């Protein structure tokens, strides 16, 4: 990993551009488009803030407001410079973090491989990112459960019926720590530098393009349902796909939109 393209770009931030592969440019281009549409709710330059909080590491902490403001100076997707195959982070201290993107890209690549080998049906599970490929043997859609955020190890709360679609969930119950009775989760709002608070426990995106679902599940958790609804049609047009969203709230209310079938589990 130390020699990965991401590490090289991060090391060379403020120094010089780095030549990257077409795969990297594909991932970055998708992230940038969704960043622009969501006005930064998704931001792959959030590395300095993510490192500052250190959630799920041995140095996790609640940063001071001064530390947060200092880290925010190094965050901003609009600062990224791309010239052909060269990518540059122009400010020393900036860093990429593609945690909200790469599983989706990997799932799409696996789907491409399965299509080439004429696989008829499969479930891809990349941990929080599911792709239901084809239909089940009896020619009916797959049934995928959506976890109960208050009891993620128990029975699912909802089920969705899908085919040839990615199902990606972002929530506040997977990676977090608690201090003085308050939960601090890993999905950070780069505007505030704090864990996102939109009154949402989880959001699930259903989309044929897994990289879009991955990016949007994070962005939607930060945006909330109303603002997500406002940008969905733009994202559908940009990526020529359809998108369904399922929101779960602290009081167990559920809301969804898009052409998807959602039922209680």
């Amino acid at each position: 990993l130390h020699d990965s393209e991401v590490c090289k770009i991060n090391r060379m931030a403020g120094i010089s551009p780095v030549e990257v592969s077409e795969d990297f440019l594909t991932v970055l281009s998708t992230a940038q488009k969704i960043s622009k549409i969501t006005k930064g709710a998704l931001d792959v330059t959030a590395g300095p803030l993510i490192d500052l909080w250190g959630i799920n590491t041995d140095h996790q902490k609640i940063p001071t407001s001064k530390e947060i403001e200092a880290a925010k100076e190094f965050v901003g997707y609009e600062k990224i410079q791309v010239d052909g195959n060269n990518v540059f982070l122009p400010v020393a201290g900036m860093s990429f973090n593609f945690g909200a993107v790469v599983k989706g890209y990997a799932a799409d690549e696996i789907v491409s491989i399965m299509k080439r080998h004429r696989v008829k049906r499969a479930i891809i599970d990349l941990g929080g990112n599911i792709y239901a490929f084809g239909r089940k043997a009896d020619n009916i859609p797959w049934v995928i459960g959506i976890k109960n955020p208050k009891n993620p190890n128990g029975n699912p709360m909802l089920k969705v019926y899908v085919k040839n679609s990615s199902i990606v969930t972002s929530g506040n119950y997977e990676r977090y720590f608690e201090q003085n009775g308050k939960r601090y989760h890993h999905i950070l709002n780069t505007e505030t530098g704090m864990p996102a608070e939109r009154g949402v426990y989880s959001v699930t995106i259903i989309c044929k393009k897994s990289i879009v679902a991955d990016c949007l599940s994070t962005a939607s958790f930060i945006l909330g349902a109303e603002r997500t609804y406002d940008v969905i049609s733009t994202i559908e047009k940009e990526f020529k796909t359809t998108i369904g969203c399922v929101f779960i709230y602290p009081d167990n209310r559920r809301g969804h939109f898009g052409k998807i079938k959602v039922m209680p589990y």
Side-chain angles (χ1 to χ4, degrees):
L1 287 179
H2 186 69
D3 291 327
S4 71
E5 291 173 310
V6 172
C7 287
K8 289 178 182 176
I9 295 168
N10 291 349
R11 283 200 305 272
M12 298 304 290
I15 301 172
S16 69
V18 173
E19 187 174 353
V20 298
S21 64
E22 291 299 325
D23 286 341
F24 186 95
L25 289 175
T26 297
V27 172
L28 179 58
S29 174
T30 301
Q32 285 182 298
K33 288 175 183 177
I34 293 180
S35 293
K36 186 174 181 179
I37 294 168
T38 62
K39 296 180 179 178
L42 175 79
D43 195 329
V44 292
T45 69
L49 279 170
I50 293 168
D51 293 341
L52 178 64
W53 280 85
I55 294 174
N56 264 27
T57 70
D58 58 4
H59 61 271
Q60 62 188 15
K61 67 171 185 176
I62 303 172
T64 65
S65 57
K66 187 175 181 179
E67 288 174 322
I68 289 172
E69 289 305 312
K72 284 168 61 179
E73 291 296 317
F74 302 105
V75 176
Y77 71 93
E78 69 281 356
K79 296 183 176 78
I80 302 168
Q81 297 179 12
V82 180
D83 181 11
N85 277 63
N86 294 298
V87 176
F88 185 42
L89 296 178
V91 181
M94 290 185 72
S95 63
F96 278 132
N97 185 300
F98 285 92
V101 187
V102 291
K103 284 184 182 178
Y105 178 72
D108 287 335
E109 288 297 292
I110 293 169
V111 168
S112 295
I113 292 168
M114 291 195 299
K115 286 180 177 178
R116 289 200 300 270
H117 289 273
R118 298 181 181 178
V119 175
K120 291 184 178 179
R121 61 188 69 89
I123 291 289
I124 302 166
D125 184 353
L126 299 180
N129 188 317
I130 304 293
Y131 201 106
F133 181 71
R135 285 174 173 257
K136 294 171 71 175
D138 45 10
N139 202 35
I140 63 174
W142 299 96
V143 181
I144 307 296
I146 297 176
K147 288 183 177 182
N148 180 345
K150 292 182 179 179
N151 184 21
N153 294 320
N155 289 331
M157 177 179 284
L158 301 170
K159 56 185 176 181
V160 292
Y161 295 79
V162 295
K163 61 176 181 177
N164 293 317
S165 293
S166 184
I167 305 93
V168 183
T169 298
S170 291
N172 67 358
Y173 54 87
E174 290 288 351
R175 285 181 277 165
Y176 66 90
F177 68 93
E178 293 183 350
Q179 189 167 316
N180 298 326
K182 182 175 174 61
R183 177 177 294 189
Y184 297 89
H185 60 80
H186 74 292
I187 306 174
L188 302 179
N189 182 339
T190 56
E191 283 187 8
T192 64
M194 298 288 292
E197 293 187 10
R198 290 288 181 188
V200 176
Y201 265 18
S202 76
V203 55
T204 299
I205 302 296
I206 297 94
C207 178
K208 293 186 183 300
K209 296 185 177 181
S210 192
I211 191 171
V212 173
D214 211 358
C215 291
L216 189 56
S217 69
T218 298
S220 295
F221 190 94
I222 294 167
L223 291 172
E226 186 174 331
R227 290 173 65 194
T228 296
Y229 183 79
D230 291 340
V231 302
I232 284 294
S233 61
T234 303
I235 294 175
E236 288 179 327
K237 289 175 185 175
E238 175 66 40
F239 293 98
K240 296 179 176 60
T241 189
T242 57
I243 297 169
C245 305
V246 181
F247 289 84
I248 298 178
Y249 300 93
D251 59 2
N252 286 342
R253 284 185 303 117
R254 286 93 79 179
H256 72 273
F257 48 87
K259 295 180 180 179
I260 51 174
K261 183 180 179 182
V262 183
M263 301 287 289
Y265 188 80

